[in-house]
Amino acid sequence: MEKFIIYQAFTRLFGNKNNTNKPSGTIRENGCGKFNDFTSEAFNGIKELGTTHIWYTGIIEHASKTGYPEFGIQASPAEIVKGQAGSPYAIRDYYDVCPDLAENIPERMKEFENLVQRTHEAGLKVIIDFVPNHVSRGYKSDSKPESVFCFGEHDNQSDAFNPNNNFYYIPGQLLRLPNIPDAYQPDVYSEFPAKVTGNDCFSANPGDHDWYETVKLNYGVDYLNGHTKHFSPIPNTWYKMLEVLTFWASKEIDGFRCDMAEMVPVEFWEWVIPEIKSRFPSVIFIAEVYNPQLYREYINKGKFDYLYDKVGLYDTLKGVLQGRQSATDITKCWQDIDDIKQHMLNFLENHDEQRIASDFFIKDPFTIIPALVISTCLNPGPYMHYFAQELGETAADAEGFSGFDGRTTIFDYWGVKSQQNWMNNGKFDGGQLTDEQKRLRQLYVDILNFARTEKCVSEGMFYGLQWANKDNPEYDNDKIYSFLRYTTEEVLIFICNFSDEIKVVNLEIPEDAKEMSGLKGLCHCKGEKISFNFGSTDIEFAQKRFLRINHEVEAKDVLIYRIRK
């Protein structure tokens, strides 16, 4: 079974060649990437990273301050748009694509369909967002099939909760947005009665940090009365979302990344995912779920193929890299999800998280090697990579709405400098990369392809060595993490050094590890010593060295021993 490597491309930013970068600039000032930026050259560069799937982020039409009135597309009211371009998670039409991404706006859906076809011809699979929990304020679809009714079209707005409504309401109260002190001003967005905000803010006065640009969808849960569930008969919202998923699955996409899936009742997923897979059996579903107590429910009952491992491995690796946690804490990460490890998706960057090379994370992108190897090789589940991560993107700009926070903006139009260096005006040959960026990219190429192609990683068994070295005076438990992955043919021994110093490690491999992995009884065998910074060399092992292997591991590096049986 091949390990998935998912490349997340923030579509609006990926191919943008404009380097004006005016804070809060318009699309005409700062430019915007297009579907057509994904050329054969771009795909070749993406595939060099071992990529198997591309997650095109921000495809579906969302609220924006940019309008195209000549094509019947009006700008959203400014009061309910964050930034100039708007959040891709404030959907304003589930049945259309973002017009910003098209060269020929009337043909925008055809351009997206061509993108799907080009991606498949390049040997890659397509993932897009499904945003089930909320929509933009003022949602109105002008592209839906005639047989489909719009969300909220038949709601009884006098009911705070009604299982037949698509939205929740705050009867008798006018919405007061945080950026409009007087909601009665003319020519501003008005909403009466106020709808409940997307992050479960049951107030007519959402704050600056609420998702005030969105409205929560009603799946039949009465949140203000004991979270009572009204799932029989099936709520109207469920059927509408089945229609949305069917619409996009019919475009021959290969998977959905489901935004904030845990804010939607698991019973909906239990119903809708089998419905979709009965017609599109190869489509995968990835859940953004942050509560570890819900992991098994959303896999076993909700039928998700993969879940984010954010609160576990990502947060722990970040803590270890920043010196706030011990490497030994990684053990709990795999122990907590050992029975569902094949369903857990790992990452070190995405659109929600700070860039590794930012001032807010670890600054030096080369120090990521031990975390990257662990994130890609600790378990057989997918690994997700964010565009320009391999280039050491620093996100050192205050682009607009989100400000200077170490994240690449999802709200504004912008040119990502490191990405533009790699794009080299559309050649996608890295022609403008610095020597350091080239070296970093090659490290990612080597590590991601290693993780994807190694049978020990995708199909092999795992054995953690940390416990066996807890009392070892020649092993720094806070800075070193080690483990085995093995098949019937070979064993990989990983020694990961998070320290700023070279570490001499006298690793103990216990008897049961040798027994389980097949090392026991081997008198002599050939092996390979792999260092991503310093290449690899062939070595020969004798049986006595399996109990204690003496290593010198470079700072912020990993040694991998491949032992062939």
Side-chain angles (χ1 to χ4, degrees):
M1 178 180 177
E2 185 181 47
K3 185 182 183 79
F4 292 175
I5 303 292
I6 301 171
Y7 181 94
Q8 182 190 2
F10 201 92
T11 317
R12 179 201 303 155
L13 304 178
F14 175 88
N16 186 19
K17 303 178 186 69
N18 187 313
N19 59 8
T20 302
N21 285 353
K22 175 183 175 181
S24 299
T26 66
I27 190 171
R28 291 165 186 81
E29 292 170 323
N30 283 354
C32 183
K34 307 293 182 181
F35 294 132
N36 290 348
D37 292 323
F38 291 89
T39 61
S40 58
E41 292 82 8
F43 288 130
N44 288 339
I46 292 170
K47 288 178 69 175
E48 285 175 358
L49 292 164
T51 304
T52 58
H53 297 63
I54 301 181
W55 166 19
Y56 292 108
T57 306
I59 293 295
I60 301 177
E61 185 181 357
H62 53 270
S64 173
K65 291 177 184 173
T66 303
Y68 301 91
E70 65 273 31
F71 301 116
I73 302 171
Q74 303 301 320
S76 300
E79 302 81 21
I80 56 168
V81 181
K82 290 180 176 178
Q84 286 292 321
S87 167
Y89 298 101
I91 302 298
R92 70 177 177 186
D93 190 346
Y94 277 118
Y95 292 93
D96 206 349
V97 296
C98 175
D100 289 345
L101 305 177
E103 300 283 0
N104 184 348
I105 291 172
E107 296 294 318
R108 58 192 180 277
M109 186 60 77
K110 182 61 177 176
E111 287 189 23
F112 170 71
E113 292 167 349
N114 290 342
L115 172 62
V116 173
Q117 182 179 347
R118 290 198 308 277
T119 309
H120 288 158
E121 289 172 353
L124 297 162
K125 295 187 177 181
V126 173
I127 296 170
I128 67 169
D129 287 292
F130 173 53
V131 187
N133 177 60
H134 48 265
V135 295
S136 169
R137 288 204 133 87
Y139 177 94
K140 189 178 188 305
S141 173
D142 52 16
S143 300
K144 64 181 179 59
E146 288 186 8
S147 60
V148 172
F149 291 104
C150 211
F151 284 87
E153 189 172 345
H154 295 132
D155 280 9
N156 183 344
Q157 298 185 13
S158 62
D159 292 339
F161 167 78
N162 185 317
N164 295 315
N165 283 352
N166 296 136
F167 300 126
Y168 297 92
Y169 295 90
I170 306 172
Q173 295 191 46
L174 180 73
L175 176 70
R176 292 185 179 275
L177 293 167
N179 52 347
I180 309 175
D182 182 0
Y184 291 97
Q185 292 180 44
D187 302 322
V188 299
Y189 178 79
S190 180
E191 184 178 290
F192 182 88
K195 301 182 185 75
V196 169
T197 297
N199 60 321
D200 293 0
C201 174
F202 284 78
S203 166
N205 302 276
D208 284 328
H209 299 292
D210 288 310
W211 305 345
Y212 62 79
E213 80 279 27
T214 67
V215 175
K216 184 173 179 63
L217 285 166
N218 173 8
Y219 283 81
V221 179
D222 188 352
Y223 288 93
L224 298 182
N225 291 286
H227 288 62
T228 308
K229 297 177 179 180
H230 300 261
F231 297 157
S232 183
I234 291 174
N236 178 264
T237 301
W238 291 28
Y239 286 114
K240 282 189 167 73
M241 284 307 196
L242 174 60
E243 290 165 337
V244 170
L245 285 165
T246 301
F247 174 82
W248 290 105
S250 69
K251 302 289 183 187
E252 298 186 354
I253 66 144
D254 303 288
F256 294 99
R257 179 268 186 188
C258 300
D259 185 66
M260 295 307 297
E262 68 181 89
M263 296 185 76
V264 173
V266 70
E267 290 85 355
F268 166 73
W269 301 113
E270 180 185 24
W271 174 80
V272 80
I273 290 178
E275 287 279 346
I276 294 297
K277 290 198 173 191
S278 69
R279 292 185 54 189
F280 308 96
S282 63
V283 170
I284 63 172
F285 283 80
I286 300 169
E288 182 187 23
V289 174
Y290 294 130
N291 183 353
Q293 295 181 349
L294 297 177
Y295 286 175
R296 287 158 186 81
E297 185 175 18
Y298 274 72
I299 291 169
N300 299 325
K301 184 175 181 178
K303 311 300 182 185
F304 274 99
D305 297 289
Y306 305 104
L307 310 182
Y308 274 28
D309 192 4
K310 194 271 185 193
V311 175
L313 191 60
Y314 170 83
D315 283 351
T316 300
L317 288 174
K318 186 174 184 179
V320 176
L321 287 165
Q322 294 178 336
R324 297 180 287 105
Q325 289 186 251
S326 167
T328 295
D329 294 341
I330 297 167
T331 298
K332 187 176 188 301
C333 296
W334 68 258
Q335 288 177 335
D336 286 347
I337 53 90
D338 193 46
D339 59 317
I340 54 172
K341 56 183 177 289
Q342 68 273 19
H343 296 286
M344 302 308 293
L345 179 149
N346 294 332
F347 57 85
L348 291 169
E349 281 190 4
N350 64 41
H351 67 279
D352 285 320
E353 307 300 341
Q354 293 164 335
R355 291 287 193 171
I356 292 162
S358 76
D359 290 345
F360 300 85
F361 202 136
I362 52 173
K363 296 185 180 180
D364 181 355
F366 289 94
T367 62
I368 199 64
I369 294 174
L372 181 59
V373 170
I374 289 171
S375 191
T376 55
C377 297
L378 194 70
N379 68 47
Y383 173 79
M384 184 170 71
H385 178 90
Y386 196 30
F387 85 108
Q389 176 182 337
E390 77 282 7
L391 308 173
E393 172 56 34
T394 60
D397 305 301
E399 307 100 331
F401 179 83
S402 56
F404 176 54
D405 62 357
R407 297 174 176 84
T408 298
T409 179
I410 68 169
F411 302 107
D412 284 285
Y413 302 107
W414 205 254
V416 180
K417 177 59 177 172
S418 61
Q419 176 75 359
Q420 291 174 337
N421 289 352
W422 174 62
M423 284 194 297
N424 193 22
N425 295 312
K427 296 177 184 177
F428 292 95
D429 61 0
Q432 298 180 43
L433 292 177
T434 66
D435 289 343
E436 278 206 345
Q437 287 174 324
K438 291 177 182 178
R439 185 163 70 89
L440 183 64
R441 178 178 164 83
Q442 188 59 51
L443 275 173
Y444 274 90
V445 168
D446 293 344
I447 293 172
L448 295 182
N449 279 283
F450 176 88
R452 181 181 63 83
T453 58
E454 286 293 334
K455 191 174 180 181
C456 278
V457 173
S458 61
E459 299 180 25
M461 302 297 289
F462 170 87
Y463 190 103
L465 295 172
Q466 207 74 353
W467 73 271
N469 291 273
K470 63 183 177 65
D471 298 321
N472 181 351
E474 297 173 278
Y475 185 98
D476 185 347
N477 274 270
D478 286 334
K479 298 298 182 182
I480 300 294
Y481 195 80
S482 57
F483 58 96
L484 306 180
R485 294 207 66 89
Y486 58 92
T487 65
T488 55
E489 292 85 27
E490 63 182 21
V491 179
L492 296 179
I493 304 174
F494 293 80
I495 307 168
C496 308
N497 181 13
F498 287 91
S499 174
D500 294 326
E501 302 173 346
I502 295 173
K503 289 285 184 179
V504 176
V505 179
N506 203 347
L507 180 69
E508 295 190 16
I509 300 179
E511 289 297 313
D512 64 332
K514 291 190 289 182
E515 185 80 45
M516 294 166 67
S517 65
L519 292 176
K520 192 170 185 177
L522 292 177
C523 295
H524 289 276
C525 62
K526 292 288 186 181
E528 182 184 11
K529 177 181 176 183
I530 303 166
S531 169
F532 292 108
N533 265 327
F534 300 98
S536 63
T537 57
D538 287 334
I539 51 177
E540 183 171 337
F541 288 96
Q543 172 61 31
K544 65 180 180 180
R545 299 190 65 192
F546 286 131
L547 181 61
R548 285 184 174 271
I549 304 176
N550 199 57
H551 323 264
E552 185 176 273
V553 189
E554 295 291 326
K556 303 291 187 181
D557 200 8
V558 174
L559 281 186
I560 303 172
Y561 286 99
R562 183 198 309 278
I563 301 172
R564 303 177 189 92
K565 301 176 189 177

